[in-house]
Amino acid sequence: MKDGLGAIFLGKLILIIVIFLLSLFLFNYGIRKWLKVKRKKFFSYSHVNEKHERIDWIIRISFIFIFLFLPIINLSLPDSQWYLEPSFLMIIFINTVEITRSIMEWRYDSDENSYLFTISQLLFINLFIFFLFITNFFDWFI
């Protein structure tokens, strides 16, 4: 690979990340205003209660074990399975954690619309990722 191709790839990757973060910020801002949900600290992950914290840690530890044993499972199979790809499992992990969060917010949070915000944010992220895969990342990385 030539040096210029690496810089072009990096520039396109940075552009997609910036577009994603900017669109997510604007989406979150609009949904928060519409649902009247309190803004949480940036890069903080607070649990709704201790039950949520226990469930969240069970999910996280389970996925760590899955990722640790994933190479062994993949090597034992004759062909690579799409559902055992790390990127697919990361999407499943994020969805599992956020759906758990939204259920706990729905059941236990005093802010009655916070679960709607979590679900709408998860749908937005999933649609963005789906759109990137369907368009083959806008055919930029071919």
Side-chain angles (χ1 to χ4, degrees):
M1 183 187 315
K2 297 179 185 176
D3 291 331
L5 290 178
I8 291 171
F9 173 81
L10 187 60
K12 290 177 180 179
L13 183 63
I14 289 172
L15 182 63
I16 285 181
I17 291 171
V18 167
I19 289 171
F20 172 71
L21 291 176
L22 182 63
S23 61
L24 184 63
F25 173 77
L26 293 173
F27 178 79
N28 286 348
Y29 180 78
I31 291 293
R32 279 195 194 282
K33 288 281 187 184
W34 185 46
L35 294 174
K36 297 177 180 82
V37 176
K38 290 182 283 184
R39 187 168 182 247
K40 295 178 179 150
K41 291 181 182 177
F42 192 64
F43 276 123
S44 71
Y45 191 79
S46 58
H47 296 94
V48 176
N49 57 18
E50 286 192 23
K51 184 177 184 179
H52 177 218
E53 186 174 9
R54 282 193 308 271
I55 293 171
D56 186 61
W57 277 106
I58 289 170
I59 293 169
R60 290 174 189 272
I61 291 170
S62 300
F63 271 91
I64 288 171
F65 279 115
I66 289 170
F67 277 108
L68 286 175
F69 291 109
L70 187 64
I72 297 168
I73 295 168
N74 273 336
L75 287 175
S76 67
L77 297 173
D79 292 329
S80 178
Q81 305 297 321
W82 63 270
Y83 53 85
L84 293 177
E85 294 294 323
S87 57
F88 181 74
L89 288 175
M90 278 303 294
I91 292 170
I92 297 297
F93 169 70
I94 291 169
N95 280 299
T96 304
V97 167
E98 291 302 310
I99 288 170
T100 303
R101 169 176 271 294
S102 66
I103 290 170
M104 297 308 275
E105 287 174 342
W106 173 60
R107 293 184 72 188
Y108 300 109
D109 199 357
S110 60
D111 191 359
E112 59 190 42
N113 287 334
S114 61
Y115 76 97
L116 291 174
F117 172 75
T118 303
I119 291 171
S120 62
Q121 186 179 31
L122 182 62
L123 286 173
F124 179 81
I125 292 169
N126 282 328
L127 286 173
F128 194 89
I129 291 171
F130 179 74
F131 182 71
L132 285 177
F133 278 105
I134 290 298
T135 62
N136 200 18
F137 292 87
F138 306 112
D139 290 332
W140 284 359
F141 299 104
I142 295 178

